[in-house]
Amino acid sequence: MNAPSLGRLFQHTAQRLPKKAAFLTKVAGNFEPILWENAARDIYAIASAFLSMGLKAQDRVAIFSENRPEWAMTDLAAQLVGIITVPIYPSLMPAEAQYILADSGASLVAVSNKGQFEKIAAVQKNLPALKGVVGFDPSLSVSGADITVPLFLWRELVKTKLRPDLDSLAAQVSGEAIASIIYTSGTTGSPKGVLLTHTNFITNVVGCRDTLKMDENDLHLSFLPLCHVFERMAGHYLMVYIGATIAYAEDMESVPKNISEIKPTFLLGVPRFYEKVRGRVLEAVKKASPVRKALFFWAQEIGQAKREGKRKKGLFTGLEERLAEALVYKTFRKRLGGRIRFCVSGGAALPKEIAEFF
């Protein structure tokens, strides 16, 4: 597929897999699907709404929200017509959000809930370029809003009449156009805005797909922040490109439960995530019976010897490995949903002992 822009990349997948689940989100205790045909309808409506507000290609829309389908669809709507998205970590305080909104020149900011909305309300008088706020949660109210710029509700914007020129506008977005401004964390002084083009992202997602042999049968649990380029590229654009389904974790504390519910086919995590998984397993082993404890460490030794090429072939070698698989390895994989084909670690160096454990 030749997709010069992220918007065209989305269009191709939506046309190819209209009846497939694009996203899964928790509703009344269950993960409910959003099909690509329905997601595409909302994405086109949001893009039309942006244009009706007077936004144009290379204007900036900030997203101040936790991971959720509206985050993804707001971003894809902007990419469709060449608008630049600026992600803001939902944990940031009002003054920090104000700095990013002002520095990027954001015309619009999308917020997830009342808490994020109130942060913007507290600083919006210092943001003369801000033309409005988009609210994801239905609980946000337009009436009595303590803000001088308009509040637009997502549920109303998705009813916007579609612009007839959306496809032609999407075709005009160049791969060299800026797709996103991502603000760095952990640097000295004020955060720096990194300009990333459509081609920057697409080159990476094509390389990932070819290297990891992924396709539309994969299922991803999104829990790393979409504000970070790792999840943005690998857990968002890559999934859209290959047509995989993205399930959004309820929150970080719910990740183990959500893994067992949706049974992802791979994991994207930072080293700290894998360290926590290892810690939970070792804590469970510590509380296990002497027999189960001995089995665990016996299987671990077999795995280490095999990985290091120290397993000598013999009459009982294959039997031992099959027993280790049945009694220990299978149980560990089940803790990760039972369908994991591989895990990816990024964002920092993965300690050797964590990698060897997995």
Side-chain angles (χ1 to χ4, degrees):
M1 178 187 67
N2 180 22
S5 71
L6 294 166
R8 298 286 293 281
L9 179 149
F10 139 69
Q11 285 182 308
H12 179 89
T13 297
Q15 291 163 5
R16 182 170 65 93
L17 302 167
K19 300 296 183 182
K20 186 178 183 296
F23 312 113
L24 295 176
T25 186
K26 232 359 167 17
V27 179
N30 297 304
F31 276 98
E32 299 292 342
I34 300 173
L35 303 184
W36 265 116
E37 61 182 1
N38 296 329
R41 180 197 61 210
D42 288 351
I43 290 166
Y44 278 108
I46 294 295
S48 298
F50 287 161
L51 296 173
S52 70
M53 294 175 192
L55 299 182
K56 58 187 183 302
Q58 296 299 282
D59 281 346
R60 278 82 159 153
V61 169
I63 307 176
F64 197 15
S65 168
E66 304 78 11
N67 294 14
R68 54 193 290 169
E70 294 92 343
W71 200 115
M73 290 189 275
T74 297
D75 175 70
L76 293 173
Q79 303 305 337
L80 186 67
V81 292
I83 292 170
I84 298 169
T85 52
V86 184
I88 303 176
Y89 280 93
S91 58
L92 293 189
M93 294 294 102
E96 297 168 312
Q98 176 191 318
Y99 171 82
I100 292 174
L101 290 167
D103 188 69
S104 65
S107 301
L108 197 70
V109 57
V111 300
S112 57
N113 53 39
K114 188 172 183 288
Q116 306 299 5
F117 174 77
E118 289 175 346
K119 292 178 186 178
I120 300 302
V123 298
Q124 52 88 28
K125 63 180 181 298
N126 302 319
L127 297 167
L130 194 65
K131 297 177 180 177
V133 178
V134 174
F136 293 158
D137 281 1
S139 59
L140 285 171
S141 172
V142 177
S143 60
D146 183 22
I147 194 164
T148 57
V149 294
L151 170 64
F152 305 99
L153 297 183
W154 170 271
R155 63 185 177 185
E156 297 302 322
L157 290 183
V158 295
K159 299 174 185 176
T160 303
K161 184 177 179 181
L162 303 190
R163 290 263 299 233
D165 58 346
L166 281 179
D167 287 340
S168 63
L169 290 173
Q172 295 171 28
V173 180
S174 163
E176 298 310 309
I178 303 300
S180 188
I181 305 174
I182 296 181
Y183 281 79
T184 59
S185 59
T187 54
T188 56
S190 300
K192 313 299 190 296
V194 180
L195 307 178
L196 295 173
T197 68
H198 290 257
T199 298
N200 287 151
F201 283 114
I202 290 172
T203 301
N204 276 272
V205 300
V206 171
C208 286
R209 185 219 41 197
D210 294 345
T211 301
L212 299 174
K213 312 301 181 189
M214 304 173 75
D215 60 28
E216 65 265 26
N217 295 309
D218 279 301
L219 174 58
H220 170 51
L221 180 66
S222 179
F223 58 86
L224 296 180
L226 277 164
C227 300
H228 194 285
V229 74
F230 178 30
E231 181 68 18
R232 180 81 170 281
M233 185 279 293
H236 177 48
Y237 293 134
L238 174 59
M239 300 301 103
V240 171
Y241 175 47
I242 64 177
T245 299
I246 305 171
Y248 293 95
E250 296 169 81
D251 50 52
M252 284 304 295
E253 296 304 315
S254 301
V255 168
K257 179 184 68 160
N258 294 159
I259 286 176
S260 67
E261 288 173 318
I262 71 155
K263 299 176 173 53
T265 58
F266 64 93
L267 285 176
L268 299 178
V270 293
R272 180 61 181 147
F273 167 74
Y274 295 110
E275 184 181 337
K276 285 183 175 180
V277 173
R278 176 175 176 262
R280 283 196 297 269
V281 171
L282 293 179
E283 186 63 28
V285 170
K286 186 178 178 182
K287 297 175 182 177
S289 68
V291 172
R292 294 187 68 84
K293 191 179 299 184
L295 276 173
F296 176 85
F297 289 111
W298 166 76
Q300 194 174 33
E301 288 175 5
I302 287 176
Q304 182 174 345
K306 186 176 181 180
R307 188 182 66 252
E308 295 174 351
K310 296 178 180 179
R311 290 282 290 167
K312 294 181 180 179
K313 290 185 178 180
L315 182 62
F316 296 106
T317 302
L319 177 60
E320 282 184 325
E321 291 175 2
R322 286 194 295 274
L323 280 172
E325 164 66 28
L327 299 174
V328 179
Y329 306 152
K330 188 176 180 180
T331 301
F332 177 62
R333 282 200 299 274
K334 191 174 181 181
R335 283 176 171 265
L336 300 179
R339 298 200 303 160
I340 296 292
R341 295 191 291 118
F342 57 85
C343 302
V344 177
S345 180
L350 181 68
K352 183 172 181 285
E353 64 272 17
I354 304 295
E356 288 179 346
F357 179 85
F358 275 83

